[in-house]
Amino acid sequence: MTVKPVHRNRKKNGSATRVPLALALAGTLTVVCLAVAEAGETSPKRETAKSRTARAAADLLNVNYQDGSLNSGIPELTTTHATAKDASYTLPSGDDHAVAHKVTLGDPAYESDGAPRSESAANKVPEGVFHVGDMRRYEFSVLLKDWESFDPGDPVGGDILFQGKHAGGNFPSFFLAAKRNAIVFRSPKLQFQDAIVEDFTPYINKWMTFRVDVRWTDDATGFYKISSKLPGESGFTLRKTHENVQTFHPENPTEFGYIKWGLYRPDQSIEGGFVPTRVVHHDNIRVTDLATE
């Protein structure tokens, strides 16, 4: 597959309308896995030509939705299995496009494999697949569209935004999710849960960018390094590191994993009092081979 040119970030500044709320982060997020913006919204600062050239040498995959299609011009890219017409769609974003995923609880048209989710996945894209021995950087921008924030007394759930997923019906190795008013990094089997953004409410309807560096190992020599770049920040800040851990750890036999992004709302329901409809936008999903850097 021909790797696409690195996509420039070209969003304009937007505005947040939420007031930061106190963060209470406790408990764990249960996972039931098989397991952009419109004009006027902003994403990370535009890269220089020099930095784009340097990145292109190591980028394996760049899903930038520049052509406005759901698969970003990559035939092997899996798009949503939810059947609702607006479960996934592209929309204008700066000078080009981003992708949106929408889930409405209680409506089977917004379900995939029996769960409330709408996601895109690189399970059939060789550059989006990982194996033991790989060392990868995963980077993506996400916007929480008109997100209803968490208030004390609301039911606690997690809306999964990005996964490093073990194939074969396994739990993910890791995921990032919106939980309460935080963006958390979680590894279900290793029982890590870290607040990467402690309060995202100032950034609702703005672009946030995340980076996860992983050494994929089937013994305790791997690592996760999680960074973020928030609106107004000029570069990435390392938020959390887990070293000397086993990062490739499927419970059922499998030889590979893959990345997926969108919106997955495990264990949420209308009856449980959860927000009925959520929408997220994604753009600039990159996979980089760290071994070449």
Side-chain angles (χ1 to χ4, degrees), residues 11-12 18 45 67 79 83 113 132 171 186 197 273 281:
K11 280 76 182 180
K12 300 177 183 178
R18 306 297 179 115
K45 185 178 179 181
D67 68 353
T79 55
T83 59
D113 297 317
V132 172
F171 285 94
R186 179 156 168 76
V197 179
H281 299 170

Side-chain angles (χ1 to χ4, degrees), residues 7-232:
H7 176 46
R8 294 176 294 174
N9 296 313
R10 295 184 278 244
K11 280 76 182 180
K12 300 177 183 178
N13 287 331
S15 61
T17 59
R18 306 297 179 115
V19 177
L21 301 175
L23 173 67
L25 184 61
T28 60
L29 175 60
T30 303
V31 186
V32 186
C33 291
L34 277 182
V36 261
E38 299 168 350
E41 295 169 346
T42 184
S43 104
K45 185 178 179 181
R46 180 184 303 199
E47 294 181 283
T48 65
K50 182 177 179 181
S51 66
R52 287 196 301 273
T53 300
R55 291 186 62 129
D59 276 351
L60 297 175
L61 182 66
N62 182 6
V63 185
N64 54 32
Y65 297 100
Q66 192 167 14
D67 68 353
S69 65
L70 276 181
N71 65 6
S72 192
I74 303 170
E76 302 92 343
L77 189 70
T78 299
T79 55
T80 185
H81 290 161
T83 59
K85 290 183 178 180
D86 62 348
S88 185
Y89 52 94
T90 59
L91 70 166
S93 174
D95 292 337
D96 49 76
H97 299 84
V99 69
H101 292 88
K102 174 182 176 180
V103 174
T104 296
L105 298 175
D107 187 337
Y110 296 93
E111 295 181 357
S112 176
D113 297 317
R117 56 184 156 196
S118 178
E119 297 175 297
S120 299
N123 55 310
K124 296 181 180 179
V125 182
E127 294 83 358
V129 168
F130 56 82
H131 302 86
V132 172
D134 290 340
M135 190 156 61
R136 297 286 186 261
R137 168 167 292 167
Y138 305 104
E139 189 173 306
F140 67 97
S141 296
V142 65
L143 181 149
L144 306 178
K145 180 61 177 173
D146 298 334
W147 204 264
E148 293 188 38
S149 57
F150 177 86
D151 291 321
D154 289 347
V156 178
D159 295 275
I160 297 176
L161 309 173
F162 188 93
Q163 301 185 51
K165 179 76 168 64
H166 294 307
N170 285 285
F171 285 94
S173 172
F174 73 87
F175 61 78
L176 285 101
K179 182 178 182 182
R180 294 187 169 94
N181 289 326
I183 301 294
V184 301
F185 171 88
R186 179 156 168 76
S187 180
K189 188 172 179 180
L190 299 181
Q191 298 184 347
F192 298 146
Q193 182 166 289
D194 311 302
I196 306 304
V197 179
E198 293 191 351
D199 184 4
F200 61 66
T201 57
Y203 312 123
I204 293 170
N205 290 328
K206 294 185 177 183
W207 287 96
M208 300 176 283
T209 301
F210 296 92
R211 175 183 287 172
V212 182
D213 294 346
V214 187
R215 177 187 288 145
W216 292 108
T217 64
D218 57 4
D219 59 19
T221 61
F223 62 72
Y224 301 108
K225 298 178 181 180
I226 309 98
S227 304
S228 67
K229 183 166 62 172
L230 301 177

Side-chain angles (χ1 to χ4, degrees), residues 255-274:
E255 295 182 354
F256 74 97
Y258 59 94
I259 59 168
K260 59 193 309 189
W261 58 94
L263 184 59
Y264 175 29
R265 308 185 64 187
D267 295 338
Q268 297 186 36
S269 66
I270 295 293
E271 295 77 13
F274 290 90

